[in-house]
């Protein structure tokens, strides 16, 4: 299974029966030079919450590729307005797809969606544990540090994708604590340096994490899990 970092909290996941995007903020994302139309044949799109830097180009890509959007029930109602292919689930739920199992995990954050000049309800923000070819990825979404992350240790996470930018999410020190809770084999820091208010040094995070291997991924770099 392969992961590609696309800047901010966006990732491409490729494996058997899956070519998925997570939080596909592509167009207008200052941390990459990519276009949403660069992505073809996307089978699934995971969306952690309703904020614009996470929904990103979900609608354009899902429409063009007929991708299945995996998100919470409330966001599913929003995506239904655009006649998209949606699979809704909720916090704590696990389900089997043909590529492997997905569990929706809690996140401490907001999930409002801007629509027609108003903020509409996007339900609970979340993260995902995505299993592909017996490897487990944990994408935390936007979240503060939570005690619930201790439960993820038993999941035996191969690679964790954790926000480190602070202000809206965990900062470096809290993300280091999260690593201690989760004990992933590898970790990729995300959600930093896209905007001034989330400036953070991923190498400081790398120095501070003790047990997990930290990969400071470059945009478009392929990482084999
Ligand atoms: Ni957010
Ligand atoms: Mn965000």
């Amino acid at each position: 299974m392969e992961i590609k970092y696309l800047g901010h909290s966006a990732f491409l996941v490729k494996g058997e029966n899956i070519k998925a995007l997570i939080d596909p903020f592509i167009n207008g994302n200052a941390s990459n030079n990519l276009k949403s139309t660069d992505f073809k044949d996307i089978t699934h799109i995971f969306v952690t919450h309703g904020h614009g830097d996470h929904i990103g180009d979900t609608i354009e890509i899902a429409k063009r590729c007929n991708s299945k959007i995996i998100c919470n029930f409330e966001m599913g109602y929003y995506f239904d307005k655009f006649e998209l292919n949606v699979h809704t689930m909720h916090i704590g739920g696990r389900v089997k797809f043909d590529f492997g199992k997905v569990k929706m995990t809690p996140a401490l954050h907001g999930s409002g969606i801007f629509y027609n000049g108003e903020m509409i309800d996007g339900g609970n923000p979340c993260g995902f544990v995505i299993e592909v070819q017996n490897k487990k990825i944990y994408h935390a979404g936007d979240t503060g540090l939570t005690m619930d992350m201790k439960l993820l240790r038993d999941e035996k996470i191969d690679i964790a994708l954790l926000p480190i930018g602070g202000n809206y999410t965990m900062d470096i020190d809290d993300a280091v604590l999260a690593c201690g809770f989760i004990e992933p084999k590898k970790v990729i820091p995300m959600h930093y340096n896209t905007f001034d208010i989330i400036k953070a040094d991923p190498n400081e995070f790398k120095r501070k994490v003790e047990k997990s291997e930290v990969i400071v991924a470059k945009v478009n770099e392929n990482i084999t899990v």
Side-chain angles (χ1 to χ4, degrees):
M1 192 248 299
E2 285 186 343
I3 292 185
K4 233 182 206 188
Y5 183 48
L6 306 174
H8 202 57
S9 295
F11 290 85
L12 180 71
V13 177
K14 276 199 285 189
E16 236 173 81
N17 297 324
I18 186 169
K19 184 179 174 191
L21 287 164
I22 312 174
D23 285 356
F25 175 36
I26 311 293
N27 298 334
N29 178 348
S31 59
N32 70 37
N33 266 324
L34 305 164
K35 295 190 298 290
S36 64
T37 47
D38 295 341
F39 297 89
K40 320 253 190 248
D41 312 316
I42 297 298
T43 59
H44 301 79
I45 303 176
F46 295 85
V47 187
T48 62
H49 65 289
H51 296 160
D53 56 323
H54 297 262
I55 287 188
D57 304 294
T58 297
I59 292 168
E60 188 280 312
I61 298 165
K63 221 171 223 164
R64 183 166 43 80
C65 303
N66 194 29
S67 331
K68 190 184 288 287
I69 300 171
I70 300 168
C71 62
N72 73 21
F73 182 76
E74 290 77 7
M75 290 178 66
Y77 180 80
Y78 165 74
F79 288 124
D80 275 344
K81 296 180 196 295
F82 305 93
E83 295 175 7
L84 300 169
N85 180 1
V86 180
H87 179 99
T88 65
M89 51 193 300
H90 238 303
I91 307 284
R94 194 181 321 249
V95 67
K96 198 171 181 303
F97 291 96
D98 47 4
F99 60 82
K101 286 179 186 162
V102 172
K103 184 176 188 182
M104 184 173 271
T105 59
L108 272 185
H109 195 67
S111 186
I113 305 169
F114 275 117
Y115 181 63
N116 283 344
E118 280 183 54
M119 181 78 89
I120 63 170
D121 180 28
N124 269 306
C126 73
F128 292 102
V129 174
I130 305 165
E131 200 177 337
V132 179
Q133 291 164 254
N134 294 318
K135 298 281 184 181
K136 278 186 185 172
I137 309 165
Y138 168 55
H139 188 296
D142 277 1
T143 184
L145 179 67
T146 76
M147 292 294 280
D148 292 327
M149 288 174 179
K150 291 195 173 188
L151 296 171
L152 291 168
R153 203 179 59 138
D154 291 342
E155 293 281 345
K156 299 193 170 41
I157 301 295
D158 291 284
I159 190 158
L161 317 174
L162 302 180
I164 64 161
N167 193 70
Y168 302 110
T169 69
M170 298 190 283
D171 60 10
I172 287 174
D173 289 335
D174 278 357
V176 170
L177 288 172
C179 273
F181 288 176
I182 302 162
E183 297 182 10
K185 287 197 187 87
K186 297 176 182 176
V187 56
I188 300 177
M190 64 175 184
H191 211 271
Y192 65 93
N193 290 356
T194 320
F195 321 113
D196 280 348
I197 200 156
I198 57 169
K199 268 211 156 46
D201 175 7
N203 291 309
E204 181 190 338
F205 175 68
K206 186 173 181 154
R207 281 194 301 277
K208 287 180 169 174
V209 170
E210 285 181 356
K211 285 186 186 153
S212 309
E213 179 194 342
V214 177
I215 302 169
V216 178
K218 293 187 196 75
V219 168
N220 250 339
E221 180 184 341
N222 240 336
I223 293 147
T224 304
V225 183

